Amino acid sequence: MTKPPGTFEIKDTDLAGRIGKLYLKNGVIETPAFFPVIDIYRQDVPPNELLEIGFKQAITNAYLTLKRFGDEAVEKGIHGIIGFKGVVMTDSGAYQMLEYGEVDVDQETIINYQKRIGSDIGVILDVPTGIASYENAKRSVVETGKRAEEAIGLIKDSDTVWVLPVQGAGYSDLTAESAEIARRLSPHYGMLGIGGLTSYMEKYDYLTVVDMIHVAKRILPGGKPVHLFGAGHPLIITLAIALGVDTFDSASYILYARDNRYITDYGVERLDRLEYFPCTCPVCSRYTPKDLLEMNKEERTRLLAIHNLYAIKRAIDRAKQAIREGRLWELLEETSRRHPSSYEAFRAFRKYRDYLALSTPYVKGVVRGLRLYGEESLWRPKIILYRRRLEKYLSGRRVKRVILKPYPEKAEECPRYTDVEDEVLVAYYTPYLGIIPGELCGVYPTIHFNYPEREVPESIIEEMIDYVASLVRRLYPDATVTVEEGSGWREKAARILRERFS
Ligand SMILES: [Zn+2]
């Protein structure tokens, strides 16, 4: 069913990530979605091949289109000019301004041009921050806000969906200020964006990128799709999806290809340094690195670009499936370790726990056990949600005696205690969840989790002890506490817990 352009329906969520449907005048796209950049001057991959790979959307530059084609693009439409049947987003040329200084076009001209060439999604002429001094960053925030305000009259009643980019990259306070402006003006815009971070991504400064996304996303209205400009590597795309970014664009796939560079899940490699392809996409299944090196430049560039697109697509599809299964956190634990920069950025997610917990469903249709590995698993929003619920459940109850039992080695052996005396709490102590009241054994997620039982990290046991001791003392200060012991980690844990309660 077709709906007004800009309609955004959220189908599923996990952490702050979501799967959505975005309605545009030339089609509906499912998000998270990547928009490959189509170079208006030179198309190494025929645009309709993008559709075959699975990209129903692409982006090109309206400013460069204006320079090269002028009114011809108005007659043929942008879809006709680039030869792409899917959804077409156009950027305003603001990025050229960042690269080459001023652009010789004003906002009214470029907005009207995007409307006239029939862009599905257009961008106002914002002022990207890039890597800038505080003063210049501030100026880009103020100027972008001013232009966003001025653009309202130009974009109203348009069937193009308009993006209002947030600026202030590198400075939390300026990013917040810019996001506040965007929130205020958001009723006039179909989409919001986060700009100016491309240089940070190119330098692998993913920590700054995730911090800026977090600052902006906490302020931006949750119901609007958010675009991240210039994100073209699987490592950052996965992190950004988890923080609630819905769409991405980048020219990286083609720029790397022209430079004989190959995107891997763990970075970017030079083709001549590869002996094997760590990928099974149609290109990599058919050719070896040596085959590609022996081809002519044009063919090699095309094939490398196609592989690079598959690498990006794989990251997006994997994240979507993880959202469906409620295991996006596990995917981050696993994939962030592929590069020190993404791992550093993921470590910062512990500071975003409350934000991430807001949109993490506690239970999904299909129950999947939690896989827990180490310190980062403790920061998982589902653990926070469990502990919050647990505390609510236990507080206000009169308890004179607490019997702490070790969680059994096999979850299915976790007996449920239903007929305990009044004012007695029987509970299991366990790594990660902390405490499980005996009567709740079997209720999600009390037996639906998995951790390296015989090799639990020391720090996880210490955290459990601190958590259990302080929770029991805080809720039931006068209760007598008995701690039962067991084998493995349970033995030492019981001894320390007894000391804490004596
Ligand atoms: Zn491949």
Side-chain angles (χ1 to χ4, degrees):
M1 207 178 82
T2 161
K3 298 191 176 169
T7 305
F8 184 54
E9 294 169 348
I10 295 172
K11 301 287 184 195
D12 204 348
T13 63
D14 190 32
L15 309 183
R18 57 252 192 118
I19 294 176
K21 262 177 134 178
L22 177 58
Y23 291 78
L24 298 152
K25 63 179 169 180
N26 285 301
V28 186
I29 58 173
E30 189 180 81
T31 62
F34 178 77
F35 289 67
V37 170
I38 293 182
D39 185 333
I40 204 82
Y41 288 102
R42 181 171 143 201
Q43 299 170 3
D44 308 73
V45 180
N48 279 326
E49 211 161 315
L50 299 173
L51 285 170
E52 281 166 34
I53 300 171
F55 295 98
K56 289 173 71 184
Q57 61 286 322
I59 183 171
T60 195
N61 189 295
Y63 172 72
L64 299 177
T65 306
L66 173 66
K67 290 279 140 192
R68 178 163 184 200
F69 294 100
D71 280 345
E72 191 190 339
V74 177
E75 287 153 32
K76 292 186 181 163
I78 189 65
H79 298 76
I81 284 285
I82 58 175
F84 183 70
K85 291 196 213 87
V87 160
V88 177
M89 176 173 180
T90 46
D91 200 354
S92 57
Y95 185 71
Q96 275 63 34
M97 183 161 63
L98 187 64
E99 295 275 290
Y100 313 110
E102 277 303 304
V103 289
D104 51 354
V105 66
D106 59 32
Q107 169 155 270
E108 187 170 352
T109 308
I110 202 68
I111 285 181
N112 284 333
Y113 188 67
Q114 292 179 82
K115 286 199 276 193
R116 289 166 65 218
I117 62 177
S119 305
D120 287 282
I121 301 172
V123 185
I124 63 163
L125 192 64
D126 60 326
V127 184
T129 305
I131 293 183
S133 68
Y134 189 84
E135 289 66 35
N136 285 336
K138 172 98 184 166
R139 208 168 303 135
S140 79
V141 166
V142 173
E143 185 62 22
T144 297
K146 217 175 90 197
R147 294 195 188 173
E149 199 118 29
E150 287 165 3
I152 292 170
L154 301 167
I155 63 174
K156 70 169 195 292
D157 306 324
S158 154
D159 58 2
T160 296
V161 170
W162 294 92
V163 183
L164 163 47
V166 169
Q167 294 299 338
Y171 305 97
S172 299
D173 60 331
L174 295 179
T175 300
E177 188 181 325
S178 188
E180 287 291 354
I181 298 170
R183 177 166 69 180
R184 182 167 55 78
L185 301 178
S186 65
H188 305 282
Y189 286 85
M191 285 178 83
L192 303 162
I194 301 173
L197 288 167
T198 314
S199 333
Y200 291 92
M201 291 187 253
E202 283 167 358
K203 290 194 302 175
Y204 287 88
D205 182 358
Y206 293 152
L207 180 58
T208 301
V209 177
V210 297
D211 265 338
M212 295 304 125
I213 296 173
H214 174 244
V215 167
K217 276 289 302 186
R218 277 178 54 184
I219 295 168
L220 298 175
K224 291 266 156 115
V226 172
H227 183 82
L228 177 62
F229 288 91
H233 196 283
L235 289 167
I236 190 63
I237 286 176
T238 311
L239 291 162
I241 287 176
L243 290 171
V245 172
D246 305 292
T247 56
F248 304 85
D249 77 277
S250 174
S252 65
Y253 75 99
I254 191 65
L255 299 177
Y256 287 144
R258 287 175 189 165
D259 199 23
N260 283 343
R261 286 194 289 166
Y262 176 99
I263 295 180
T264 66
D265 288 342
Y266 47 89
V268 182
E269 287 290 338
R270 272 174 43 190
L271 184 61
D272 59 7
R273 292 201 183 161
L274 288 172
E275 204 168 326
Y276 304 96
F277 281 137
C279 172
T280 52
C281 81
V283 173
C284 302
S285 326
R286 188 156 168 210
Y287 303 103
T288 65
K290 195 163 166 280
D291 293 338
L292 256 59
L293 282 166
E294 284 164 3
M295 284 174 189
N296 66 48
K297 170 95 180 143
E298 199 181 319
E299 185 63 357
R300 179 168 62 239
T301 302
R302 188 180 73 87
L303 291 172
L304 274 176
I306 290 172
H307 155 80
N308 288 343
L309 285 166
Y310 273 108
I312 291 168
K313 180 175 156 44
R314 190 164 55 227
I316 289 179
D317 290 346
R318 205 159 36 199
K320 280 181 177 171
Q321 182 59 25
I323 291 173
R324 294 296 291 155
E325 294 177 356
R327 55 177 297 274
L328 193 49
W329 188 269
E330 286 169 31
L331 181 72
L332 290 172
E333 284 190 76
E334 171 199 327
T335 58
S336 67
R337 284 173 188 262
R338 291 174 179 170
H339 195 287
S341 298
S342 48
Y343 184 58
E344 178 183 54
F346 175 55
R347 297 271 303 173
F349 275 46
R350 74 184 181 284
K351 296 180 284 183
Y352 316 151
R353 279 177 293 184
D354 290 338
Y355 163 70
L356 297 171
L358 284 176
S359 43
T360 301
Y362 192 60
V363 209
K364 291 241 187 190
V366 180
V367 173
R368 262 194 69 124
L370 310 179
R371 292 183 183 173
L372 306 160
Y373 300 95
E375 192 187 4
E376 288 100 15
S377 304
L378 266 181
W379 310 332
R380 185 173 177 153
K382 267 200 188 148
I383 300 283
I384 299 167
L385 292 172
Y386 170 79
R387 289 185 175 186
R388 274 187 203 154
R389 284 180 165 221
L390 171 79
E391 195 162 335
K392 211 167 151 196
Y393 174 80
L394 289 177
S395 59
R397 181 157 154 184
R398 244 192 83 76
V399 171
K400 279 190 187 158
R401 190 167 168 228
V402 179
I403 302 166
L404 292 174
K405 289 176 173 291
Y407 190 79
E409 280 172 43
K410 293 201 176 91
E412 58 269 32
E413 287 163 6
C414 173
R416 186 183 277 201
Y417 288 88
T418 43
D419 53 349
V420 285
E421 291 169 54
D422 281 355
E423 305 188 350
V424 175
L425 169 70
V426 177
Y428 296 102
Y429 55 93
T430 177
Y432 300 101
L433 294 185
I435 280 187
I436 297 169
E439 69 273 20
L440 293 187
C441 219
V443 177
Y444 182 84
T446 61
I447 57 167
H448 313 84
F449 64 103
N450 220 307
Y451 60 90
E453 154 68 36
R454 287 169 294 180
E455 285 291 346
V456 191
E458 200 76 14
S459 61
I460 302 295
I461 300 295
E462 281 164 19
E463 195 277 346
M464 174 196 74
I465 292 167
D466 286 343
Y467 173 73
V468 172
S470 69
L471 182 74
V472 170
R473 269 292 159 254
R474 187 156 45 83
L475 294 179
Y476 314 121
D478 305 320
T480 56
V481 182
T482 321
V483 185
E484 295 177 11
E485 63 182 43
S487 63
W489 59 266
R490 296 161 185 81
E491 198 182 325
K492 189 177 166 198
R495 184 166 46 77
I496 302 174
L497 274 169
R498 276 186 205 121
E499 283 167 21
R500 292 285 184 95
F501 286 113
S502 65

